[in-house]
Amino acid sequence: MGRSFRWLLSATWISNIGDGIALAAGPLLVASQTSNAMLVALAALLQRVPWLLLGLYAGALADRVDRRRMVMIADGLRAIVVASLSVIIVAGVFNIASVLAVMLLLGVAEVFADTSSQTLLPMLVDHDDLGLGNARLQGGFLVGNLIVGPPVGAFLFAFGMAAPFVTQAVLVALSVLLVARIATPKGPVRELGDTHVVHDIVEGVRWLVHHAAVRTLAVVIVAFNITWGAAWAVLVLYSLDHLHMTVVGFGFLTTSSAVGGLLSTVMYQRIERRFDLGDVMRVCLLLEVLSHLAFALTTSGYVAMVIMFVFGAYAFVWGAVSQTVRQRATPIELQGRVGSVYMVCVFGGIVVGQALGGWIAERWGLTAPFWFAFVGSGITLALVWRQLPAIAHADAAA
């Protein structure tokens, strides 16, 4: 799909390995400084809050500047922040406050890096290759963030507290050099005129609201992330106390989804060629509904791992399809703003869902969030079932 796509793919894979290393090492670093559950949870929250506060601004900025340069600057700042963390760890002058400050800065940098990087793919590959391109990029996320990165991060942390962060800084810096090799037109993708960034944000939101297919897809993403977030908020307690799995068993449970996702991303091209995207979207969402029901009913850890494998298989197909459908329907000059609305929907839904999941579990038990997810996602799917084929081919209708 072209040399520039290969540079983007390489940069994504390398950056994701670095992020996967931090995914394990970050919580270990926080836990080494405090046993306060609120502070531990705050460290994770600080990397999501920036999406809700700055996501729309980052999307508007991506449509106003050179997108490739924006990725390089944001990831370069991310490498500097992680390198600075490594220095203060080696110097022995860090504490929980400095660690939390680093988490917040990384969250801010990731908003701008991720928002701009997702706009590059439609600029580099043909319309028909967007699905395969998204699947391959998601493969990098699976391998780096979920399979290779976390065990390497835990090993490096045991070797030396600063080691995983030095490694992450090097990998992110290397991804910046690879992005620099991508060939894209210099400057912004559109004429700016006298418009203000606030006007640009409003224009992007207005376009989404008036585009029936893209609007419905955004609603589906919010609803399904609320139900998913509610169930997954208690997954660790569900596995330990309800399924009576060990800590190692919980590790296998989460790894099962990554293995299922990796298999489906490898097969994505065959899936897209053989089946209509509308049918693929229906099957993915139906499996989501049934997975919540299966988790609510099972008491076996082995059965739960099979369910998680199936979850990973359809969830990453859905991710590639939904991203592709949205990118194909959105004009190139609006990719940043519309994409940022989607990311705000994703993280907003997860945050709301996690808050609901904890409250529901406290009142009605550890399986109650899964019953809530089953009912909520089932109602949502019933409401949009007939619209999914039209959503899948919104670009053709336009």
Side-chain angles (χ1 to χ4, degrees):
M1 296 194 295
R3 180 177 297 177
S4 288
F5 173 74
R6 291 196 292 272
W7 289 123
L8 175 62
L9 186 64
S10 301
T12 301
W13 278 61
I14 289 173
S15 177
N16 274 300
I17 292 174
D19 292 344
I21 289 172
L23 191 65
L28 291 173
L29 181 64
V30 173
S32 72
Q33 298 302 301
T34 181
S35 58
N36 187 306
M38 289 296 294
L39 290 176
V40 173
L42 181 61
L45 184 64
L46 286 175
Q47 291 185 283
R48 288 180 174 172
V49 167
W51 276 107
L52 304 180
L53 300 179
L54 299 172
L56 296 180
Y57 174 76
L61 191 63
D63 290 341
R64 295 178 67 89
V65 302
D66 187 314
R67 290 166 172 173
R68 180 178 64 90
R69 190 178 298 274
M70 182 172 166
V71 175
M72 294 172 61
I73 293 173
D75 272 340
L77 291 174
R78 208 153 60 96
I80 291 172
V81 170
V82 178
S84 301
L85 175 63
S86 305
V87 171
I88 64 174
I89 290 175
V90 172
V93 294
F94 74 104
N95 53 33
I96 185 60
S98 60
V99 173
L100 292 177
V102 167
M103 296 299 178
L104 178 60
L105 291 174
L106 285 176
V108 172
E110 285 175 0
V111 171
F112 291 90
D114 292 349
T115 299
S116 50
S117 63
Q118 70 175 344
T119 65
L120 293 179
L121 182 64
M123 300 172 65
L124 301 179
V125 303
D126 293 335
H127 178 275
D128 292 338
D129 290 331
L130 280 172
L132 180 59
N134 279 309
R136 290 183 176 176
L137 293 176
Q138 285 206 33
F141 172 81
L142 283 164
V143 172
N145 268 258
L146 301 179
I147 297 178
V148 174
V152 171
F155 171 79
L156 290 174
F157 190 86
F159 176 76
M161 195 175 289
F165 303 104
V166 172
T167 305
Q168 184 193 17
V170 171
L171 291 173
V172 174
L174 179 57
S175 74
V176 173
L177 297 178
L178 293 172
V179 170
R181 304 297 300 274
I182 297 173
T184 57
K186 293 183 179 180
V189 296
R190 64 188 180 93
E191 295 293 333
L192 297 180
D194 297 327
T195 61
H196 189 271
V197 66
V198 175
H199 173 272
D200 289 353
I201 293 173
V202 172
E203 183 182 33
V205 174
R206 184 184 294 120
W207 183 92
L208 184 147
V209 170
H210 286 88
H211 194 290
V214 179
R215 179 183 67 241
T216 303
L217 185 58
V219 172
V220 170
I221 287 174
V222 171
F224 271 76
N225 273 285
I226 290 174
T227 54
W228 179 86
W232 259 241
V234 298
L235 183 64
V236 62
L237 294 177
Y238 167 85
S239 64
L240 296 177
D241 298 340
H242 178 72
L243 300 179
H244 304 295
M245 302 178 75
T246 63
V247 174
V248 175
F250 174 70
F252 280 118
L253 184 65
T254 55
T255 303
S256 297
S257 67
V259 175
L262 188 60
L263 175 63
S264 65
T265 53
V266 170
M267 297 178 61
Y268 181 85
Q269 189 172 21
R270 295 181 181 178
I271 294 172
E272 190 177 61
R273 286 178 177 176
R274 179 168 294 185
F275 302 103
D276 181 81
L277 286 186
D279 293 334
V280 173
M281 295 177 78
R282 282 176 167 175
V283 169
C284 288
L285 295 183
L286 180 60
L287 287 173
E288 172 94 354
V289 175
L290 296 177
S291 292
H292 292 312
L293 175 62
F295 275 122
L297 293 174
T298 188
T299 57
S300 168
Y302 294 107
V303 173
M305 282 191 282
V306 174
I307 299 169
M308 190 65 85
F309 175 86
V310 175
F311 164 78
Y314 74 76
F316 285 95
V317 170
W318 165 261
V321 170
S322 60
Q323 180 97 325
T324 299
V325 167
R326 190 256 302 166
Q327 288 175 341
R328 287 176 175 172
T330 305
I332 196 71
E333 67 272 13
L334 284 164
Q335 290 282 349
R337 284 166 284 177
V338 175
S340 68
V341 174
Y342 271 76
M343 294 306 295
V344 170
C345 290
V346 168
F347 285 97
I350 291 174
V351 169
V352 171
Q354 287 178 329
L356 283 174
W359 177 74
I360 291 171
E362 282 292 320
R363 290 183 63 88
W364 293 291
L366 290 173
T367 60
F370 293 94
W371 285 110
F372 165 77
F374 166 63
V375 174
S377 60
I379 293 173
T380 304
L381 179 57
L383 292 174
V384 301
W385 182 266
R386 292 185 177 181
Q387 302 175 52
L388 288 174
I391 293 173
H393 302 287
D395 58 321

